[in-house]
Amino acid sequence: MGKFVIYGEKPLKGNVSIGGSKNAVVAILPAALLAENPCTIDNVPDVSDVHIIIDILRKLGAICEWKNDSVTIDARPVNTYVATDNNIGALRGSYYFVGALLGRFGRAEVSLPGGCNLGARPIDQHLKGFKQLGADTTADYGKVVANAPDGLMGNKIFFDVVSVGATINVMIAACTAEGLTQIENCAKEPHVVDVANFLNAMGANIKGAGTDVIKIRGVRALKGGIRYTVIPDQIEAGTFMIAAAATGGEVTVCNIIPRHLDSLTAKLKEMNVGVETEEDNIKIYSKDDSRMCATKIKTMPYPGFPTDLQPQMTTLLSLVDGESTITEGVWESRFQYVDDLNRMGASINVNNKVAMISGNRKLRGATVRCPDLRAGAALVIAALASEGRSEVYDINYIDRGYADFEKKLRNLGADITRVDDRAE
Ligand code: EPZ
């Protein structure tokens, strides 16, 4: 499992380079199953979720080579539509194997991702989409079985909720469906667009990704044989921006697409955090003339404020002047880190999906546990801003989505060490 030992109150200073988007890559790698020729994906982050996906691809028979941040996938040897290995249920993003195998073989049998610490995680919209493409689909006994003996047929699909996963999954499956598929009420996140760009580069015909309506004209097969660079991870970038503000530091977050972070930069500016945006960097600094102040945030689908930055922002709001509120608009249960933050000296009251945060708190080091990936990052930020020593346990959650997290923080001047806690 491992833990971080952190001595706080050291302002972060310097430059940090952001890696590829985890939530794009966990879809792009399975989507490479559709390719008739090997594809190379660049800017792949070295995080444990990606290791699991590559492991699943190899078990399906794909040849995968991972060198530095490039992964080459030759999916030609794959001859099974069954992905029911135990590991697959450990990963939420494994649902993308349903869309990819269905698109390639017209059949898929994939272990279902379980629930997680964010509350119930239904996949009814994914299943509805596959059914409307003509696949008989069931989800029982821990796995999804989808079968389209006559092949997938394009259709008009209207999602009842805006879902990143369902939008991407149905888009992947529809690439090789016969005729036109029109998906409405789509998610517009940058990684939806990135997956569409990857599929188009491989030979798909997708229009409208990044808007509410995506149209996919089916093609017989995707040629592949391409090299594709994944977009930067806007959540990793946002996490470092918030960490810089929380420690009163000065950090330039490099190799990013600043537009993807507009909702965060707007909030930080409102709170009197110094923000300077350049073409592919954002600098965060403390203003000499004014203290950071409270704000109101509601998380929502892109381009709204991302739920994946909500916990990190709660930490920051505990330190600024005034009373803030954060309303969680996406997940039913995403405040599980709050008790630990309060034990570090924060003053947060959660009522249903709303957190009331009394600011200007002096945080003190404590022993805490990560309940999930982003909450783990929020607790690390709290420890960095705290007086004294903290121990953050269960950092395997952080390893799912942040590559070299502690190394990057150490380069910025943090006093953070990874300790193997198996002997404890
Ligand atoms: C993706 O999850 C991300 N994960 C999540 O990031 C992120 O929090 C989420 O999108 C929202 O931005 C990956 O990309 C692997 P959704 P996803 O389908 O696709 C409801 C992280 O920390 N819903 O957009 O699973 C659902 O309950 C992770 O990196 C249905 O009702 O999320 C939720 O309330 C955590 N039926 C809302 O929609 C469905 O079929 C949004 O979920 C699907 C979703």
Side-chain angles (χ1 to χ4, degrees), residues 202-250:
M202 293 211 300
N205 182 351
I206 302 171
K207 295 203 169 103
T211 74
D212 290 335
V213 182
I214 298 180
K215 291 183 185 171
I216 304 145
R217 174 78 55 191
V219 294
R220 192 196 56 77
L222 305 192
K223 291 236 169 318
I226 56 152
R227 188 158 202 138
Y228 187 83
T229 303
V230 175
I231 54 164
D233 194 309
Q234 81 268 25
I235 303 301
E236 185 194 11
T239 301
F240 279 99
M241 288 163 65
I242 294 169
T247 58
E250 184 169 322

Side-chain angles (χ1 to χ4, degrees), residues 224-377:
I226 56 152
R227 188 158 202 138
Y228 187 83
T229 303
V230 175
I231 54 164
D233 194 309
Q234 81 268 25
I235 303 301
E236 185 194 11
T239 301
F240 279 99
M241 288 163 65
I242 294 169
T247 58
E250 184 169 322
V251 172
T252 304
V253 181
C254 306
N255 304 324
I256 59 172
I257 300 174
R259 193 170 36 85
H260 293 168
L261 287 143
D262 278 352
S263 62
L264 174 62
T265 47
K267 272 294 154 198
L268 292 176
K269 284 179 183 167
E270 236 177 83
M271 293 166 61
N272 281 329
V273 176
V275 181
E276 262 172 39
T277 302
E278 289 173 12
E279 201 179 322
D280 53 7
N281 298 336
I282 297 180
K283 181 164 122 182
I284 298 295
Y285 60 95
S286 306
K287 289 187 177 169
D288 295 334
D289 53 342
S290 51
R291 290 231 347 124
M292 293 184 287
C293 61
T295 190
K296 281 198 167 109
I297 293 176
K298 177 162 187 195
T299 67
M300 50 179 73
Y302 188 85
F305 193 93
T307 172
D308 292 347
L309 288 175
Q310 177 259 98
Q312 302 89 316
M313 205 60 183
T314 304
T315 299
L316 177 60
L317 292 174
S318 297
L319 302 166
V320 308
D321 284 344
E323 305 273 317
S324 299
T325 57
I326 296 198
T327 305
E328 174 54 47
V330 178
W331 295 115
E332 70 186 27
S333 166
R334 207 174 196 176
F335 286 116
Q336 297 190 32
Y337 57 92
V338 158
D339 286 348
D340 268 345
L341 264 190
N342 282 343
R343 289 177 51 244
M344 297 176 88
S347 172
I348 306 162
N349 274 306
V350 177
N351 189 352
N352 198 8
K353 290 187 170 185
V354 183
M356 314 274 288
I357 305 154
S358 296
N360 210 1
R361 306 298 294 182
K362 173 92 192 139
L363 300 186
R364 293 216 160 75
T367 296
V368 293
R369 272 186 195 282
C370 306
D372 62 73
L373 165 60
R374 309 301 173 186

Side-chain angles (χ1 to χ4, degrees), residues 22-23 95 121-125 163-165 308 330-331 374:
K22 186 259 293 180
N23 286 344
Y95 49 44
R121 294 187 72 169
I123 57 162
D124 55 298
Q125 298 303 303
S163 159
V164 173
D308 292 347
V330 178
W331 295 115
R374 309 301 173 186

